Amino acid sequence: MKTTAEELYRAVILEHARQPHHCREMDGADRTAVGYNPLCGDRCTVYLQMPDERIEQAAFTNEGCAISTASASIMAQLVEGKTQAEALSLFEQLQRWLTDEAQPSQPPENGSLLFALAGVRDFPMRVKCALLPWKTLDAALNHQRDAVTTE
Amino acid sequence: MCCALNAVYQSNSVLDPNAVFDVERIREDFPILRQQVHGKPLAYLDNAASAQKPQVVIDAMNEVMTSYYSNIHRGVHKLSELSTRGHDEARVKVSAFLNAPDEKQVIFVRNATEGINLVARTWADANLKPGDEILITHMEHHSNIVPWQMACERTGATLKVVPVLDNGELDLDGFDSLLNEKTKLVGVVHVSNALGTINPVEEIIKRAHQQGALVLVDGAQSTPHMRVDVQAMDCDFFVFSGHKVYGPSGVGALYGKREHLEAMPPLFGGGDMITSVSFEKTVYNEIPYKFEAGTPDIIGAIGLGAAIDYLESVGLDAIAAYENELLEYGTAKLADIADVKMIGTAPQKAAILNFVLDCAHPHDIGTILDQDGIAVRTGHHCTEPLMKRFNVPATARASMSFYNTKEEIDRLADGIRKVVRLFR
């Protein structure tokens, strides 16, 4: 049984989209990157405060749909306190979970939050929206200067 | 094989105000429209991106491949003769479709984009120098922006942009103030894919010619909706794409005035664009072959010819009248929804409803409508500068064809209400 639009936009997604957590510009960020989807025009900026190995604070600004805003909000919450390796590993697991049908229905670690994105798995055209903030995070962590794109 | 399009209008005269456009009869010509999407009947409202194909086009292309396909112009055998004739006839049909004075002034290209690039690479490179200006408009899609930017980079010419008014009309006073003796070419879209605006190209061309500038008209969005006459328009170049006029993708045409085409150097070298080749010197073929190197899209051109026959059989005036009816109906329906903000409300408009909602991003609108079987386009429509002009990152666009119905527009309005309920 495929996910319906109502299930895709489950309440938790709409709450994150209406009132995203960590949605702000950050002065003096240690790491920052811009992500862009040239096909649809979505744009995301990720800011990280990393005085040492761990992400102390994460923030983002986003010009995009409910899915990308909610995904960014969840991402910023989840990566705070993580090391670079832990955050990148979570991104890779999420990417695999969203794009590989053979993956189990349960999301990677911190399941309760990421489960909000479960509906996206049945909407291949929208996976890019959910992954844009995470790809931008990846770029920030890897000190990528040029804007990253989802293409 | 024939179109069998008797009685599209119940009355024979399209001028008869009581004539009723038989859209159900038309829909039978398009097999793709008979399907369900996500369990709902398909309402295809993304025609400005690409249009669906009538059975006669599918049949014509199948017939080439099943009974007479061969390469053209070179073979002496029967199949080559038949394919050559089919391809040549397609050029005659395109020429008549545009009312070109001579089919030799019609060059087959892959699409409108390639037609613009051909002019930018050949005419512009040969004629522009530093200090010259190219004038385009703020409502151009990327295909009529980027080739001219690239030409300016190569030649040192400068790109100028005519502003757009808040309702989506072209600012003709702005046009006049930018047009001068330095302007060498004006590139203008006939109908805007994002706003639906129909531009007054005859007036633009008249004013440009008074300053000695040439005009290229991008007809990708006008050719499906209205009768085009390149001689009456007096444009120097006109481009359009096959896939938007119910033909196949991968084929389109560039029309040009004879004196320009003959003076322009070829773009690509190869077979068919030459009359003789030696290692010392090559003599180029006459127009249009000079611009058609290599084996062309033979099947595509014949499919395009069939699409033009089909459009003519329905009647472009009847199409324009019915689509205008759909536009008025849709405009009123969407005006009933308080949250809808229309982008593009020019008085002269093609059947395009381009809108945003405060509560939901266009992608979210698009996904929810899709679940109801309604296909609309969401995003920047390859007009990023125009989106910035209207201060929106993207829009949702329902673009209508003569096979769409008022009932489908009702479903669109219901779908938008559903989005508002979910997101507000």
Side-chain angles (χ1 to χ4, degrees):
Chain A
M1 185 65 194
K2 288 279 180 186
T3 311
T4 65
E6 284 81 359
E7 287 160 350
L8 171 68
Y9 294 103
R10 53 193 74 199
V12 58
I13 289 264
L14 293 176
E15 278 164 30
H16 275 283
R18 283 193 192 106
Q19 290 181 311
H21 304 257
H22 305 264
C23 181
R24 63 186 170 88
E25 287 180 22
M26 185 192 281
D27 290 332
D30 298 310
R31 314 267 182 104
T32 183
V34 178
Y36 181 56
N37 181 342
L39 285 190
C40 63
D42 285 1
R43 194 177 289 273
C44 179
T45 307
V46 167
Y47 307 90
L48 302 173
Q49 220 29 286
M50 282 185 88
D52 51 36
E53 278 304 291
R54 282 181 193 279
I55 300 170
E56 198 173 279
Q57 281 188 58
F60 75 96
T61 56
N62 191 47
E63 200 175 81
C65 60
I67 306 290
S68 65
T69 305
S71 181
S73 171
I74 290 166
M75 175 192 77
Q77 267 179 282
L78 285 182
V79 299
E80 281 192 354
K82 282 192 165 43
T83 63
Q84 170 156 339
E86 288 166 348
L88 290 178
S89 162
L90 182 58
F91 161 49
E92 280 159 21
Q93 289 176 63
L94 174 70
Q95 185 160 248
R96 215 173 308 126
W97 181 59
L98 289 181
T99 52
D100 182 358
E101 283 178 23
Q103 292 285 309
S105 58
Q106 284 303 309
E109 57 165 305
N110 296 297
S112 58
L113 271 183
L114 285 176
F115 197 72
L117 297 172
V120 179
R121 301 179 75 201
D122 278 340
F123 288 80
M125 306 290 281
R126 305 305 301 277
V127 168
K128 277 181 195 165
C129 308
L131 287 180
L132 177 63
W134 293 83
K135 290 196 167 177
T136 315
L137 169 79
D138 177 56
L141 288 170
N142 286 308
H143 295 285
Q144 207 169 314
R145 289 212 180 120
D146 297 333
V148 290
T149 75
T150 51
E151 293 313 304
Chain B
M1 182 180 56
C2 84
C3 308
L5 268 167
N6 14 10
V8 163
Y9 260 91
Q10 285 170 2
S11 156
N12 282 334
S13 167
V14 295
L15 300 174
D16 178 353
N18 298 318
V20 177
F21 193 80
D22 189 354
V23 65
E24 291 308 325
R25 167 69 195 84
I26 289 285
R27 290 176 70 82
E28 287 169 19
D29 296 334
F30 291 83
I32 206 167
L33 300 179
R34 292 172 206 150
Q35 68 183 297
Q36 297 208 325
V37 170
H38 301 304
K40 311 277 173 52
L42 167 66
Y44 186 78
L45 296 172
D46 192 17
N47 297 287
S50 203
Q52 301 300 348
K53 318 305 170 199
Q55 189 65 50
V56 285
V57 168
I58 300 165
D59 288 346
M61 294 173 76
N62 271 335
E63 197 193 355
V64 183
M65 287 182 282
T66 49
S67 57
Y68 66 92
Y69 175 77
S70 175
N71 210 331
I72 57 169
H73 292 159
R74 285 175 278 272
V76 292
H77 55 79
K78 186 67 185 172
L79 295 193
S80 182
E81 181 200 325
L82 290 173
S83 283
T84 301
R85 193 192 299 163
H87 190 262
D88 290 351
E89 280 172 0
R91 197 190 306 276
V92 172
K93 287 173 186 177
V94 172
S95 175
F97 181 58
L98 301 177
N99 192 32
D102 183 347
E103 69 264 18
K104 288 193 163 46
Q105 289 168 248
V106 169
I107 296 154
F108 279 123
V109 286
R110 283 187 303 159
N111 42 41
T113 300
E114 186 171 282
I116 296 169
N117 276 277
L118 194 156
V119 177
R121 284 271 169 188
T122 59
W123 180 87
D125 280 14
N127 289 284
L128 295 183
K129 56 183 191 310
D132 289 344
E133 292 178 358
I134 294 177
L135 198 51
I136 58 170
T137 83
H138 209 129
M139 70 174 88
E140 300 309 315
H141 66 147
H142 298 164
S143 301
N144 208 18
I145 301 173
V146 184
W148 304 119
Q149 278 175 334
M150 292 163 73
C152 286
E153 278 171 22
R154 292 192 300 270
T155 63
T158 307
L159 191 67
K160 300 272 175 163
V161 183
V162 180
V164 170
L165 302 174
D166 286 343
N167 69 352
E169 274 186 285
L170 198 63
D171 180 352
L172 284 178
D173 292 336
F175 173 68
D176 285 338
S177 66
L178 287 165
L179 181 70
N180 60 51
E181 68 282 357
K182 286 186 282 186
T183 312
K184 296 293 178 256
L185 183 125
V186 176
V188 60
V189 70
H190 197 178
V191 170
S192 159
N193 70 318
L195 304 169
T197 307
I198 301 173
N199 282 319
V201 287
E202 291 83 357
E203 186 58 35
I204 289 167
I205 291 164
K206 202 169 85 189
R207 294 183 199 182
H209 283 171
Q210 281 165 3
Q211 291 288 347
L214 305 191
V215 180
L216 178 142
V217 175
D218 174 355
Q221 297 293 341
S222 60
T223 37
H225 300 296
M226 56 208 265
R227 192 164 290 289
V228 164
D229 182 336
V230 292
Q231 292 188 75
M233 205 186 284
D234 198 27
C235 57
D236 297 280
F237 301 104
F238 187 94
V239 296
F240 78 99
S241 293
H243 69 99
K244 290 200 165 106
V245 292
Y246 309 93
S249 58
V251 67
L254 161 69
Y255 156 83
K257 282 189 178 165
R258 178 179 282 279
E259 65 264 33
H260 306 318
L261 294 179
E262 283 181 345
M264 279 152 56
L267 178 59
F268 297 117
D272 247 17
M273 53 77 68
I274 42 81
T275 50
S276 77
V277 176
S278 72
F279 287 115
E280 290 71 39
K281 180 164 175 61
T282 290
V283 179
Y284 302 136
N285 205 338
E286 60 177 4
I287 62 167
Y289 311 110
K290 183 171 77 172
F291 296 104
E292 294 180 352
T295 299
D297 186 352
I298 301 163
I299 303 159
I302 292 171
L304 173 57
I308 288 171
D309 282 345
Y310 178 76
L311 277 178
E312 296 289 2
S313 69
V314 180
L316 278 150
D317 296 327
I319 287 171
Y322 177 68
E323 288 181 355
N324 200 47
E325 217 177 295
L326 289 180
L327 175 67
E328 283 178 11
Y329 186 80
T331 305
K333 273 276 162 188
L334 265 55
D336 275 349
I337 308 172
D339 301 70
V340 167
K341 187 187 169 209
M342 292 293 298
I343 310 275
T345 52
Q348 297 297 318
K349 239 187 100 169
I352 286 174
L353 299 167
N354 185 37
F355 64 95
V356 291
L357 297 174
D358 275 342
C359 60
H361 189 277
H363 293 156
D364 300 318
I365 301 171
T367 292
I368 288 167
L369 292 176
D370 176 55
Q371 289 296 297
D372 284 340
I374 304 165
V376 299
R377 185 57 161 251
T378 60
H380 52 50
H381 317 292
C382 292
T383 57
E384 277 188 74
L386 188 66
M387 296 294 112
K388 287 199 183 84
R389 159 69 180 82
F390 286 97
N391 202 25
V392 290
T395 66
R397 178 187 72 188
S399 51
M400 280 119 21
S401 154
F402 60 92
Y403 50 56
N404 291 124
T405 64
K406 290 180 182 169
E407 185 260 335
E408 288 175 323
I409 294 171
D410 291 343
R411 285 174 54 202
L412 170 72
D414 289 345
I416 297 169
R417 285 198 185 87
K418 189 166 161 187
V419 177
V420 173
R421 273 199 306 277
L422 196 60
F423 279 81
R424 192 158 57 190

